[in-house]
Amino acid sequence: MSEDQKQAFDFMGFRKLASAISIILLIASVALLGVRGLNFGMDFTGGTSVELEYAQAPELDDVRTTLTEAGYEQFVVQNFGADTIVLVRLAEAGNDQLAQEVTATLSEGGAELKLISSEFVGSQVGDELKEQSGLGLLLALAVVLIYVGMRFQFKFGIASVLPLAHDVIIVLGVFALFQWTFDLTVLAALLAVIGYSLNDTIVVADRIRENFRKMRVGNSWEIINESIHQTIARTINTSGTTLVVLLALYFLGGEAINNFALALIIGVVVGTYSSVYVSANLLMAMGVSREDLMLPAKEGAADAQEDEEPPEWLDRM
């Protein structure tokens, strides 16, 4: 290897520290999920949905303030299809009387509005959503394992799926720690985190595979280190650009998508770390080598080359 490469930052030199950090974060996340659990939103726990139509588009913050002052605690307020239509979702079970009470409360300030519809979603539906969302995450990880195992090599499949599980568990742990509401938007963010982290991991894995076949000098440590150096600029640029957009969504997108943006921000940060350290660490631990990535020789290729007759112009010489 060249002198510049030898003097470059040694990513793999910190792999034991990175492993310790990942293990601590995973244990803490699992413990938090077991002790505190997730603060499931109304998508999972059930509740009452009230759809209202205003004569003029209201300020959603004013609607939230009015409901809070009236004693309502767990609720979500968002526009539904148009600026004049507001959807209020409450955690408490109710009927037409509750919908009428909410309408009367919001009308007290002089706002002109009418009740369009109301419905109650039971907890049984929420339990089904929890089960289906968990199965969806597991299915996504299984498909990734199969795809990467076929596309690269089985060791690369393991080194790609485990970082994804690592990212999802840590995001869930942070939500359990701060008791942020976990609803369907956060579930969608987790699936997006899997896709984002996988893309980052595949880029690094592809370069590692390429360098194992191309670089004639260097052990696994040096080849993986060099591969990370070649992709780190792309990784940082992609993550930085994504974070700028997500921060804009968090600060400017409104309360309805705050948790969605938060989950993605945490996922992008953790996913960037895992694509560099967790994935490469696993490859080192499994002892990936050139032999694992050698292209299979075509059957009969050598025999065909030996049996090939010399061209006619050679006989004339």
Side-chain angles (χ1 to χ4, degrees):
M1 298 181 70
S2 67
E3 289 299 317
D4 290 341
Q5 290 172 332
K6 290 179 181 178
Q7 294 173 5
F9 183 79
D10 186 9
F11 285 98
M12 289 292 94
F14 292 90
R15 71 188 190 93
K16 291 184 178 179
L17 175 61
S19 298
I21 292 173
S22 293
I23 291 172
I24 291 171
L25 289 175
L26 286 173
I27 293 175
S29 297
V30 172
L32 285 167
L33 289 170
V35 175
R36 294 175 64 88
L38 292 171
N39 178 22
F40 287 105
M42 285 173 284
D43 294 326
F44 295 100
T45 60
T48 303
S49 176
V50 180
E51 187 177 348
L52 304 166
E53 184 176 8
Y54 282 74
Q56 295 182 345
E59 290 289 337
L60 296 184
D61 287 339
D62 294 340
V63 176
R64 296 185 185 105
T65 301
T66 302
L67 290 173
T68 301
E69 292 175 350
Y72 296 98
E73 295 180 354
Q74 296 183 348
F75 59 83
V76 174
V77 177
Q78 62 190 77
N79 288 118
F80 188 69
D83 291 340
T84 56
I85 297 179
V86 173
L87 183 66
V88 179
R89 293 187 296 166
L90 302 107
E92 56 190 288
N95 46 30
D96 291 340
Q97 182 178 354
L98 177 61
Q100 294 292 342
E101 291 175 358
V102 171
T103 305
T105 299
L106 295 175
S107 302
E108 289 176 358
E112 297 181 13
L113 69 153
K114 62 179 180 180
L115 175 64
I116 298 178
S117 64
S118 66
E119 59 181 353
F120 170 70
V121 179
S123 59
Q124 182 177 357
V125 176
D127 292 337
E128 291 178 1
L129 278 175
K130 292 177 189 176
E131 181 180 349
Q132 292 172 2
S133 61
L135 290 175
L137 288 173
L138 292 175
L139 179 61
L141 294 176
V143 170
V144 170
L145 174 62
I146 295 171
Y147 166 75
V148 179
M150 294 174 62
R151 179 70 176 81
F152 291 89
Q153 198 259 357
F154 185 71
K155 290 180 181 178
F156 279 83
I158 297 296
S160 297
V161 169
L162 290 185
L164 303 184
H166 165 277
D167 301 343
V168 169
I169 291 172
I170 290 177
V171 173
L172 291 175
V174 174
F175 268 74
L177 174 63
F178 294 104
Q179 287 295 288
W180 292 329
T181 302
F182 185 91
D183 54 21
L184 288 179
T185 63
V186 179
L187 175 62
L190 286 179
L191 294 173
V193 166
I194 290 176
Y196 179 89
S197 184
L198 175 63
N199 176 65
D200 239 10
T201 303
I202 290 295
V203 170
V204 178
D206 191 49
R207 184 55 58 89
I208 291 173
R209 180 182 65 168
E210 179 184 340
N211 284 338
F212 263 110
R213 293 173 177 173
K214 183 174 66 175
M215 295 173 64
R216 300 301 179 186
V217 180
N219 54 28
S220 298
W221 180 299
E222 294 168 329
I223 292 173
I224 291 176
N225 228 9
E226 178 62 19
S227 301
I228 295 174
H229 274 288
Q230 292 173 2
T231 56
I232 193 66
R234 178 260 177 206
T235 299
I236 293 175
N237 289 338
T238 303
S239 300
T241 305
T242 306
L243 283 175
V244 169
V245 176
L246 292 175
L247 288 171
L249 275 177
Y250 177 75
F251 289 109
L252 304 176
E255 185 179 336
I257 61 171
N258 273 3
N259 287 341
F260 171 81
L262 265 176
L264 279 176
I265 289 170
I266 299 167
V268 167
V269 173
V270 177
T272 302
Y273 158 80
S274 69
S275 65
V276 173
Y277 273 112
V278 179
S279 179
N281 258 342
L282 288 170
L283 288 174
M284 288 288 297
M286 290 185 290
V288 68
S289 62
R290 285 188 177 87
E291 288 71 21
D292 294 323
L293 301 169
M294 291 294 291
L295 292 171
K298 294 182 179 179
E299 294 183 4
D303 296 338
Q305 188 174 2
E306 292 177 0
D307 297 340
E308 186 179 353
E309 296 183 0
E312 294 181 1
W313 62 267
L314 192 60
D315 292 338
R316 300 193 194 101
M317 296 183 64

